[in-house]
Amino acid sequence: MPTQTRWGAVAALLIAGVIAALQLGKASIALPFVQRDLMLTLTVASWVVGAYGVLGAAAGLPAGVMSSLFTARNALLAGLAVAGFGSLAGAAANSGALLIATRVIEGCGFLVASLAIPRLLRAVTAPNNLDTVLPLFAAYLPTGSVIMMLAGPQLLPFGWQALWIVNGAAVLLCLVMVACLKIEEPAVADNPARSLLPNIRTVLGAPGPLLLALAFGTYTFQYMALAGLLPTLLVERLGVSITAAGAISAITVIANAIGNMSAGVLLRIGVPMWAIAAGAFTFVGLAGFGIFSDALPVAAIAALATVNLALTGCIPGSIYATAPKFAPTSALLAIVLGLINQTTNVGNLMGPFVTALVVDTFGWNRAPLIFAGVGIAGVIWALLLRRALRRAAATSP
């Protein structure tokens, strides 16, 4: 690891993460235009949005395993190239099936890139700065979402294809920027496949990586449940206008991004990762009873939801900062990140589905029970992580 942090390279890699994340959010912004232009049913159109999540839920760990066979730099360049050309190809799609196929191609590139960037950040960051840099990377998804919320509508008057073309060009420009970076990282072994099974056993046989993945999946479950259903809650139950509901939702996403970046500050002042997660999950379990209450005013519910997503936003940042403690080599880190990515996307898919199912069956009054369960599970993962981190610290050289 370097003795001094290369802040220029760090900035370039963080920008690459945000640009990659733009590809995730563009489909949600453009969905009504895509549906109308290609004459898609809502079910088919939903796959344009959900392709990334399904891909990550199915292939997160396998992608991490495959990425461990290559240097992080080569993996990132390949991922950006696939995502960029996939976006450009999507602009030429004239059917829902073709557009979904290009979204899967994009998703493969995005998945590989998102696994490679943290490995490269470790290669250009001094050890004493990792607790600051890796939490900054954790904010790439909400940051990309906010940028797309603001910039996407400006391009849509030119057609949804313009959004795909501009995003594809941005990814390819980012590819050129990353290609110009000189990053020294450990060389891949002459026969990396020989160490593949031992590396997989090392990751899956230790409690630390699995607990990080479970904590991240539990976080994304509640994040997507709340962020995804908050506009519906505000409009249908509380009578808020669609415009106001959208503004409140945007504020919660921004708060979440700030929470992601704040994790580094907490870690630097000595707050342990497990305590950050335990505190945030405890708030989730309690805040749900207020957020889904029909007795509180809209302002109070909006404030609770914003604080909830801000506090829980500290969880991804702290997890990214902690992952290298369980993965001393770049190859091991790729597998750990793949495992985390898989559970993250499972949480993304299951959160809105389970919450909507409970609300449809039992009503909004039962929704707090879901968040209470999330809080309890999250605290359990945090306390178990405390023990795993102590063991990892005791066995590290």
Side-chain angles (χ1 to χ4, degrees):
M1 296 183 70
T3 56
Q4 291 186 333
T5 299
R6 294 174 53 196
W7 291 107
V10 167
L13 292 170
L14 293 177
I15 291 171
V18 172
I19 290 177
L22 296 178
Q23 314 315 306
L24 190 64
K26 70 186 181 189
S28 298
I29 296 294
L31 188 61
F33 295 82
V34 171
Q35 186 180 2
R36 181 189 62 199
D37 192 28
L38 299 181
M39 294 182 291
L40 307 179
T41 65
L42 183 59
T43 300
V44 173
S46 69
W47 281 100
V48 177
V49 177
Y52 276 36
V54 173
L55 183 65
L61 179 57
V65 170
M66 291 301 298
S67 293
S68 70
L69 300 175
F70 305 94
T71 64
R73 185 176 185 274
N74 288 342
L76 177 56
L77 293 175
L80 291 174
V82 170
F85 285 115
S87 185
L88 294 177
N94 56 9
S95 69
L98 186 56
L99 182 59
I100 292 170
T102 62
R103 286 290 286 171
V104 172
I105 293 171
E106 284 182 42
C108 291
F110 169 80
L111 182 57
V112 171
S114 66
L115 295 177
I117 293 174
R119 296 167 62 194
L120 286 172
L121 287 171
R122 184 163 74 167
V124 299
T125 305
N128 62 322
N129 292 135
L130 272 178
D131 284 350
T132 298
V133 170
L134 290 176
L136 289 177
F137 169 73
Y140 80 108
L141 276 178
T143 301
S145 297
V146 171
I147 292 174
M148 190 51 61
M149 285 179 186
L150 298 174
Q154 310 306 315
L155 289 170
L156 286 175
F158 301 97
W160 63 266
Q161 294 89 344
L163 198 57
W164 261 246
I165 291 171
V166 170
N167 272 279
V171 174
L172 294 179
L173 287 174
C174 184
L175 167 66
V176 174
M177 175 184 67
V178 172
C180 293
L181 293 177
K182 293 183 179 180
I183 300 176
E184 295 182 4
E185 55 178 321
V188 176
D190 292 335
N191 188 4
R194 182 179 301 172
S195 59
L196 189 59
L197 287 179
N199 284 344
I200 295 173
R201 285 196 295 267
T202 297
V203 171
L204 299 183
L210 180 59
L211 289 168
L212 287 179
L214 288 171
F216 214 134
T218 304
Y219 155 78
T220 54
F221 179 99
Q222 68 83 35
Y223 172 83
M224 289 303 296
L226 182 55
L229 296 180
L230 183 60
T232 303
L233 170 71
L234 293 171
V235 173
E236 291 188 358
R237 196 181 194 203
L238 302 174
V240 176
S241 69
I242 294 177
T243 301
I248 292 172
S249 298
I251 291 171
T252 62
V253 174
I254 294 171
N256 183 255
I258 294 172
N260 274 257
M261 294 182 281
S262 300
V265 177
L266 295 175
L267 293 168
R268 289 296 291 266
I269 64 176
V271 182
M273 176 269 164
W274 67 267
I276 294 173
F281 278 123
T282 298
F283 188 87
V284 170
L286 298 174
F289 291 96
I291 293 171
F292 295 97
S293 170
D294 56 3
L296 291 180
V298 172
I301 292 173
L304 270 176
T306 301
V307 173
N308 180 84
L309 291 185
L311 289 178
T312 55
C314 296
I315 296 173
S318 62
I319 288 176
Y320 274 115
T322 303
K325 293 179 171 54
F326 297 115
T329 69
S330 182
L332 288 174
L333 184 57
I335 299 173
V336 171
L337 293 172
L339 178 62
I340 290 173
N341 190 285
Q342 185 139 4
T343 58
T344 296
N345 282 287
V346 171
N348 283 338
L349 294 174
M350 295 303 295
F353 171 75
V354 171
T355 306
L357 181 63
V358 169
V359 170
D360 283 342
T361 306
F362 302 105
W364 287 105
N365 290 332
R366 297 295 178 89
L369 298 180
I370 299 174
F371 286 80
V374 166
I376 292 170
V379 170
I380 291 173
W381 308 143
L383 294 177
L384 291 175
L385 271 167
R386 180 187 184 189
R387 182 184 303 175
L389 285 167
R390 286 180 173 177
R391 289 179 180 174
T395 57
S396 63

